[in-house]
Amino acid sequence: MLQKLKNIDLLIVAILLSFMVISTLLVYSATLDDPNIVFDMKKTITIYVICILAFLGVALVDYRVLLKISPYFYGAGLILLILVYKFGLEINSAKSWFQLPGNLLFQPAEFMKLMLILALAAFMARRQGEKLLFLTDIVPIGFIVLIPFVLVLIQPDLGNAVIFLVVLVGMLWIGNIKYTHFLIGFLLVIAGLFLFYYLFTHFHDPIQQYLKLQGKGHWVTRIDTFIDPDNASKDHSFQVVNSIKAIGSGGLSGERYLQGTSVHRNFIPYAYSDSIFVVLAEEFGFVGSSVLLLLYFVLIYRMILISIQCHDKGGAYVIVGVVSMFVFQIFENVGMLLGIMPLTGITLPFISYGGTSLLLNMMSMAVVVSIRIHQEKEPTFRT
């Protein structure tokens, strides 16, 4: 065990600890004048301790063992998604959380991201880098993703559901999908987007009325804000418009810590979670934002290097899945606050407030570190 601890990637550990410090500072600032939430340092430290212990525990386990039992993890994740739909706690019109002791919340959709990555990596590793066949590989992989996608979509949680699709695309690409299959899929996606745009713009009111009856009316308002922001109502575009203003007001070096005008006047909804990047940009400016994005870049770059050095296909596939998940979440979260991406509930990895999200992200990084630690061993995972 001591030898394993010596082989832990210290650069990744340093970046993760830096994220914890940055997150604590930003969440404290975001909640300082927010009447709806109170910053609890004791709770924050408890969550960090749990996440660090989970990180170390998972990192010391040979990732091949995790791949071998991934079907059981995947099945457990599906059961949790079904149970939360029936018995979960409803927040912001989405039944996505379990209420745990100590006033803690657990979101199964977050847990399912890593379980899905492990399941896909284990399935694809059986091909040992050979071209993926349509009927025996791509179709089963599609069903593996489709089931949790639908279960999360009906909660409704569109943001996390889309992440499943992004992970699928990233892992299929690195898993050696045939170019013809990829091209056909790409053309179908483009055609689907054009069809969606046509139907949404031409049948806007009936769609809006139907989704309101289903309790999903906020989907239409968010799409309106992205597709046609000039004609969107002030209430619907409030978050995006104010976020852009706050980010711009930060300038080069920001308005100083705890002095963000828009944040502390409560002009930014969910500043402690979805909009945490606005707090950073307004109070620390372009310099602070660049530092955070640079940390993300170094973390992703390090993960890619580990995947290149990994001799086992399964380990490489896992890392690509984790990288796909993080890259999309970072781009979507920052992009939606700049008005270049649709507004969703996707959080900023490691920074936004949320214990389940942080635990999932730390466990995902722990699997990556496990691949780094155990890559020199002879493979024990067999299909």
Side-chain angles (χ1 to χ4, degrees):
M1 180 177 293
L2 290 178
Q3 185 60 38
K4 289 184 177 182
L5 289 173
K6 291 179 181 179
N7 292 331
I8 283 183
D9 195 303
L10 295 180
L11 178 58
I12 288 180
V13 172
I15 293 175
L16 295 180
L17 292 176
S18 299
F19 283 152
M20 289 184 178
V21 174
I22 294 171
S23 176
T24 303
L25 293 174
L26 295 182
V27 171
Y28 175 75
S29 178
T31 57
L32 189 61
D33 297 307
D34 191 333
N36 299 315
I37 186 170
V38 177
F39 180 79
D40 188 339
M41 179 59 76
K42 183 178 179 180
K43 180 179 178 180
T44 300
I45 293 175
T46 301
I47 292 173
Y48 282 159
V49 170
I50 293 173
C51 290
I52 291 173
L53 292 177
F55 174 83
L56 292 174
V58 175
L60 295 177
V61 175
D62 192 328
Y63 72 95
R64 297 179 183 92
V65 175
L66 300 178
L67 288 176
K68 192 170 185 179
I69 61 177
S70 62
Y72 301 102
F73 287 140
Y74 176 82
L78 293 183
I79 293 173
L80 289 175
L81 289 178
I82 295 172
L83 291 177
V84 78
Y85 183 73
K86 294 292 184 180
F87 309 107
L89 179 67
E90 185 171 325
I91 300 176
N92 295 328
S93 302
K95 191 176 287 187
S96 304
W97 289 266
F98 285 118
Q99 180 75 58
L100 301 180
N103 200 29
L104 297 175
L105 298 176
F106 173 70
Q107 189 175 10
E110 293 284 351
F111 171 81
M112 192 65 204
K113 294 176 189 176
L114 180 57
M115 302 307 103
L116 180 62
I117 290 172
L118 291 173
L120 289 177
F123 187 90
M124 294 168 61
R126 302 180 183 188
R127 294 292 297 169
Q128 291 298 316
E130 297 291 329
K131 289 286 186 181
L132 296 176
L133 302 178
F134 183 76
L135 290 178
T136 57
D137 296 318
I138 297 178
V139 171
I141 288 172
F143 276 105
I144 291 173
V145 177
L146 180 64
I147 298 173
F149 172 81
V150 173
L151 289 174
V152 172
L153 189 64
I154 63 177
Q155 291 180 356
D157 185 356
L158 180 60
N160 278 321
V162 171
I163 292 175
F164 294 159
L165 300 182
V166 172
V167 168
L168 170 65
V169 172
M171 296 185 70
L172 280 177
W173 178 257
I174 202 67
N176 204 9
I177 187 174
K178 292 182 179 180
Y179 290 122
T180 52
H181 292 160
F182 179 82
L183 181 60
I184 292 172
F186 177 77
L187 293 176
L188 288 175
V189 170
I190 296 299
L193 290 175
F194 274 108
L195 179 62
F196 169 80
Y197 180 80
Y198 175 82
L199 294 176
F200 186 82
T201 54
H202 286 75
F203 302 96
H204 180 276
D205 292 339
I207 292 175
Q208 186 175 40
Q209 292 174 6
Y210 173 77
L211 289 178
K212 280 185 177 180
L213 292 176
Q214 301 299 318
K216 303 177 180 66
H218 62 285
W219 286 9
V220 176
T221 60
R222 290 181 174 183
I223 295 172
D224 284 339
T225 303
F226 175 68
I227 291 180
D228 194 9
D230 293 333
N231 293 325
S233 68
K234 291 184 178 180
D235 290 340
H236 295 163
S237 59
F238 178 83
Q239 183 172 358
V240 175
V241 170
N242 284 354
S243 295
I244 293 174
K245 289 181 180 178
I247 292 172
S249 68
L252 180 63
S253 57
E255 298 180 359
R256 293 186 302 171
Y257 183 53
L258 304 181
Q259 302 298 319
T261 304
S262 296
V263 171
H264 293 285
R265 290 183 180 179
N266 295 317
F267 290 160
I268 310 297
Y270 305 109
Y272 56 90
S273 57
D274 300 356
S275 305
I276 195 75
F277 185 78
V278 177
V279 183
L280 175 69
E282 186 175 44
E283 299 189 351
F284 295 93
F286 177 79
V287 174
S289 303
S290 298
V291 169
L292 178 62
L293 294 178
L294 180 62
L295 288 174
Y296 279 133
F297 174 81
V298 174
L299 180 67
I300 292 167
Y301 175 73
R302 184 60 189 154
M303 285 194 285
I304 292 174
L305 284 182
I306 294 174
S307 70
I308 293 173
Q309 297 166 358
C310 183
H311 305 299
D312 176 45
K313 295 292 184 183
Y317 294 155
V318 169
I319 296 177
V320 170
V322 174
V323 168
S324 300
M325 177 179 68
F326 284 154
V327 168
F328 176 75
Q329 287 188 233
I330 296 166
F331 184 78
E332 165 61 25
N333 182 272
V334 176
M336 73 180 186
L337 299 173
L338 294 173
I340 62 174
M341 292 293 287
L343 191 64
T344 67
I346 292 177
T347 55
L348 192 61
F350 303 102
I351 306 299
S352 294
Y353 179 85
T356 307
S357 175
L358 178 61
L359 180 61
L360 174 278
N361 293 333
M362 290 293 286
M363 290 176 65
S364 299
M365 290 308 308
V367 177
V368 174
V369 171
S370 174
I371 295 170
R372 169 70 177 84
I373 293 174
H374 300 97
Q375 65 179 314
E376 299 302 330
K377 289 181 59 179
E378 286 296 320
T380 57
F381 172 65
R382 291 290 184 270
T383 57

